[in-house]
Amino acid sequence: MVRAAVLPAVGSPLEITEIVLPEPGPGQVRVRLAAAGVCHSDLSLTDGTMRVPVPAVLGHEGAGTVVSVGEGVGHVAAGDPVVLNWAPSCGSCHHCAIGEVWLCVNALTGVGAVYARTTDGRDLHPGLNVAAFAEETVVAANCVLPAPAGVPLAEAALLGCAVLTGYGAVHHNARVREGESVAVFGVGGVGLAALQAARIAGAGPIVAVDVSPAKEELARAAGATEFVLASETTAKEVRKLTGGRGADVAVECVGRAQTIRTAWDATRRGGRTTVVGIGGKEQQVSFHALEIFHFARTLSGCVYGNSDPARDLPVLAEHVRAGRLDLGAMVSERIGLDGIPGAFEAMLAGKGGRSVVVF
């Protein structure tokens, strides 16, 4: 029996309750969570923007310690610190074969599995594969990676989604070069990671854009050299701060049609606009044919930062150990399981950076 945050149905409030968690079977690992980040994707699951089978235990950004392993698991053992990988690649589909592991067609097949049960016998699904909003979880062996040495587990949790996504958007998707100007739209967990990644890349100026003036301090601490409060003139303000041309790279971390359009408008002619935010089908973005030709900008989607966790975690860990990447600065609130609904409300209100559940 462990405590967990259960989503009983789409649109329903989370229930913080006890669940019955089995011992790991063949190819599975049981993990005691140290921390779990509260991501906007979790919120998107509650309102149906993203769909998974319910009832489910949410949470996909986590780190902890292995409690036990099932038959056939050899890369981790009881007592090992691990980071959860919510999108494990299968290694055999077309995308994996050509090196695009972040687009693996089988990455989320585990969400349909029954991994635990409620105390009254209802089947429970593991949210985005790993069910990190719980004191303990049981996951497939390919959903755990050895935690990097020298990184506290309470902070290593952020590596599992926000940092891989934000850092990857800048380094793998947009391929920011030293001296290029970067504008980051949305200063949440992913946006803060993107700002730090732009700083690490040697970008400048680095412009942060958000609807909340309270985000300026967080943004500047992460590496922003400029801060713009979102308005109808945002694109003009970004262009003014980037030599009148517009940003070489704009990274959209919100997932709203208006913000995507503004990021595009704030990008220089021939520049790159990367969309990280996850929006609903109702968020329609329009472009006319002449502007696509004239501006010659590149607009690209970005899944999981185009990252390969096995490849990128050691790189990120080295940035952390060298003091270039500050995970603690991304955390605005440390909460318990009972604090997750409040963290969702803060997210909707545009408050703070990353809330982290600490067990």
Side-chain angles (χ1 to χ4, degrees):
M1 300 280 285
V2 300
R3 292 182 75 236
V6 176
L7 177 68
V10 173
S12 298
L14 291 182
E15 297 176 356
I16 311 302
T17 185
E18 289 190 325
I19 65 171
V20 180
L21 189 67
E23 290 302 312
Q28 293 184 322
V29 179
R30 183 166 180 148
V31 177
R32 180 179 300 112
L33 273 296
V38 182
C39 179
H40 200 279
S41 296
D42 298 309
L43 182 59
S44 295
L45 292 173
T46 68
D47 64 16
T49 298
M50 297 170 62
R51 290 194 174 273
V52 294
V54 289
V57 174
L58 302 185
H60 62 280
E61 181 183 85
T65 303
V66 174
V67 176
S68 56
V69 301
E71 181 183 350
V73 177
H75 73 294
V76 294
D80 286 352
V82 293
V83 174
L84 298 180
N85 176 15
W86 64 271
S89 54
C90 70
S92 59
C93 71
H94 172 74
H95 290 289
C96 288
I98 63 174
E100 296 177 348
V101 298
W102 54 92
L103 298 179
C104 174
V105 297
N106 298 310
L108 294 179
T109 55
V111 302
V114 174
Y115 95 111
R117 286 181 169 80
T118 63
T119 54
D120 60 3
R122 288 177 295 155
D123 292 343
L124 281 173
H125 302 283
L128 289 178
N129 277 327
V130 296
F133 287 166
E135 294 169 331
E136 295 186 11
T137 187
V138 173
V139 300
N142 61 355
C143 286
V144 296
L145 293 167
V151 182
L153 283 179
E155 296 180 359
L158 300 179
L159 297 174
C161 184
V163 179
L164 277 171
T165 301
Y167 179 92
V170 168
H171 284 268
H172 302 323
N173 186 286
R175 299 181 184 275
V176 173
R177 299 180 290 265
E178 184 176 359
E180 287 192 310
S181 57
V182 175
V184 175
F185 290 76
V187 186
V190 173
L192 289 169
L195 288 169
Q196 293 205 56
R199 173 175 47 75
I200 291 170
I206 302 172
V207 184
V209 181
D210 201 273
V211 296
S212 171
K215 295 287 188 76
E216 180 171 1
E217 184 177 351
L218 278 171
R220 291 190 181 276
T225 60
E226 311 289 343
F227 183 83
V228 172
L229 190 62
S231 70
E232 293 181 355
T233 62
T234 294
K236 291 182 179 179
E237 292 181 62
V238 172
R239 287 198 295 271
K240 184 177 179 181
L241 292 168
T242 52
R245 297 178 297 274
D248 293 304
V249 171
V251 181
E252 199 276 352
C253 303
V254 181
R256 293 178 184 163
Q258 182 178 355
T259 315
I260 295 169
R261 179 69 221 199
T262 301
W264 165 269
D265 290 337
T267 304
R268 70 164 173 85
R269 195 177 185 192
R272 290 101 70 200
T273 306
T274 293
V275 179
V276 181
I278 301 173
K281 294 179 180 179
E282 76 284 356
Q283 296 291 325
Q284 298 289 317
V285 188
S286 297
F287 306 92
H288 60 72
L290 182 59
E291 69 176 309
I292 293 174
F293 161 77
H294 174 76
F295 288 112
R297 297 166 178 148
T298 299
L299 176 68
S300 62
C302 181
V303 177
Y304 206 5
N306 291 18
S307 293
D308 178 348
R311 175 199 65 196
D312 293 333
L313 278 182
V315 176
L316 294 172
E318 184 54 37
H319 284 313
V320 174
R321 289 191 290 264
R324 294 184 292 267
L325 180 60
D326 187 351
L327 300 178
M330 297 171 57
V331 180
S332 56
E333 189 177 22
R334 298 175 188 268
I335 58 177
L337 281 172
D338 295 331
I340 296 174
F344 283 164
E345 292 176 6
M347 197 179 295
L348 285 169
K351 296 179 180 178
R354 203 53 142 202
S355 293
V356 174
V357 180
V358 179
F359 295 92

